[in-house]
Amino acid sequence: MNILFLGDVVGKVGRQIVDDQLSFIKEKYKIDFTIVNGENSAHGKGITTKIYKNFKNIGVDVVTLGNHAFSKSEIKLSINECKDLVRPANIEPLNVGNSVIVKQCKNKTIAVINLCGKVFMDACIESPFDAMNKILSKLKADIIFVDLHAEATSEKVTFFEYYKNKVTAVVGTHTHVQTADERIKYGCAFITDAGMCGAYDSVLGRDIEEVFDLNIRKIPSRFKPAEGPGILCGVVISIDDNTNRATKIERIQIRP
Ligand code: FE2
């Protein structure tokens, strides 16, 4: 079983490169199951129902989110219709959507969990460890995949070390910069951050001049997503069909 995970899709450029490249990547890596982080897919913040449906139409199995999960308020009302959209278990509002999604693939059950980190993250109302313990106490699945949407590398590594015997993969998101620390330990795949799908010539997918405006020139700025050619980042995780444990994790990047 090969699982593809694509990191934070930022705005139109990110959506376009995923649209353009997904079928090629799925064929090249013999992908059975695809997960995409869509938390920045709607103009850099949040997701809409329309964007979620497009991800589904192009062959994404599950879409994960993060601290901007509910930035577009429309999604709060329609999230129950988006059955393969997983929201972080530890941000408010807690009463909409699912923080665990269990899907069937090749006679296996795959659980996809989304959590936010607590370190340097305002949105998080509960430690990802406390939230994860609650989820695991009720969860049964052959393969458990966690998208840990967090700022601090230390928190992501700690999470992986703590849960490596209980889950199949811990993939970090949110920083938009792919790290080169992918590894397998005790059959669990890990990378601190999968990177982003968005404009290559940008500040984490945002327009460079707009970031200068806010951070240097002290001019209000909306941090709009950058335009231009895109970069696509993610990982492919291979899982042994007999043991349900990860055997390989490979970083992928398509640059302009
Ligand atoms: Fe984020």
Side-chain angles (χ1 to χ4, degrees):
M1 160 96 66
N2 290 322
I3 296 179
L4 170 68
F5 179 85
L6 296 179
D8 313 27
V9 176
V10 185
K12 196 174 170 186
V13 174
R15 300 197 308 269
Q16 190 63 55
I17 195 165
V18 174
D19 271 6
D20 293 346
Q21 299 289 342
L22 188 60
S23 52
F24 162 75
I25 296 168
K26 284 174 84 164
E27 200 176 313
K28 180 176 176 186
Y29 293 94
K30 299 184 172 40
I31 298 300
D32 303 297
F33 195 84
T34 300
I35 307 165
V36 170
N37 183 299
E39 88 122 4
N40 302 115
S41 56
H43 207 63
K45 266 190 175 183
I47 190 166
T48 61
T49 315
K50 189 177 167 196
I51 292 172
Y52 162 80
K53 284 182 177 164
N54 187 60
F55 281 135
K56 289 298 296 176
N57 286 340
I58 63 170
V60 174
D61 293 286
V62 174
V63 179
T64 58
L65 294 169
N67 53 313
H68 294 305
F70 303 112
S71 291
K72 301 283 180 280
S73 52
E74 170 252 343
I75 202 70
K76 279 186 221 164
L77 304 173
S78 60
I79 197 165
N80 292 330
E81 295 161 33
C82 305
K83 61 181 178 57
D84 297 325
L85 184 61
V86 58
R87 45 87 25 103
N90 54 349
I91 68 165
E92 286 183 313
L94 293 171
N95 61 343
V96 294
N98 297 309
S99 46
V100 184
I101 284 176
V102 181
K103 301 271 291 176
Q104 206 66 32
C105 177
K106 291 178 92 183
N107 294 323
K108 302 282 182 187
T109 48
I110 304 178
V112 181
I113 297 166
N114 192 198
L115 290 160
C116 272
K118 197 160 175 61
V119 181
F120 310 132
M121 304 273 286
D122 294 337
C124 179
I125 56 158
E126 181 181 35
S127 136
F129 297 90
D130 291 343
M132 183 68 176
N133 289 342
K134 284 182 203 163
I135 291 169
L136 285 179
S137 70
K138 293 181 245 163
L139 182 64
K140 266 201 154 198
D142 298 314
I143 294 161
I144 301 176
F145 180 100
V146 183
D147 171 352
L148 180 57
H149 194 80
E151 184 72 51
T153 53
S154 57
E155 190 175 28
K156 295 190 230 188
V157 176
T158 305
F159 188 98
F160 160 65
E161 290 290 353
Y162 194 70
Y163 292 107
K164 62 185 178 294
N165 294 311
K166 295 191 169 120
V167 307
T168 322
V170 175
V171 173
T173 55
H174 179 66
T175 72
H176 294 198
V177 177
Q178 188 178 72
T179 55
D181 63 337
E182 75 276 18
R183 71 188 98 157
I184 302 281
K185 192 169 177 184
Y186 302 130
C188 180
F190 174 71
I191 187 165
T192 295
D193 208 290
M196 73 163 182
C197 301
Y200 180 71
D201 203 14
S202 70
V203 177
L204 313 183
R206 308 289 177 154
D207 182 90
I208 296 168
E209 286 299 324
E210 295 236 342
V211 176
F212 286 175
D213 280 347
L214 190 70
N215 290 344
I216 301 162
R217 300 177 189 128
K218 312 299 179 198
I219 299 169
S221 152
R222 302 192 70 159
F223 267 28
K224 70 178 182 195
E227 293 179 3
I231 179 172
L232 176 144
C233 298
V235 288
V236 175
I237 295 167
S238 303
I239 294 162
D240 185 293
D241 286 337
N242 294 315
T243 63
N244 297 329
R245 303 301 291 160
T247 54
K248 188 180 168 195
I249 175 168
E250 182 176 351
R251 280 182 285 127
I252 56 170
Q253 267 198 20
I254 298 174
R255 294 186 184 211

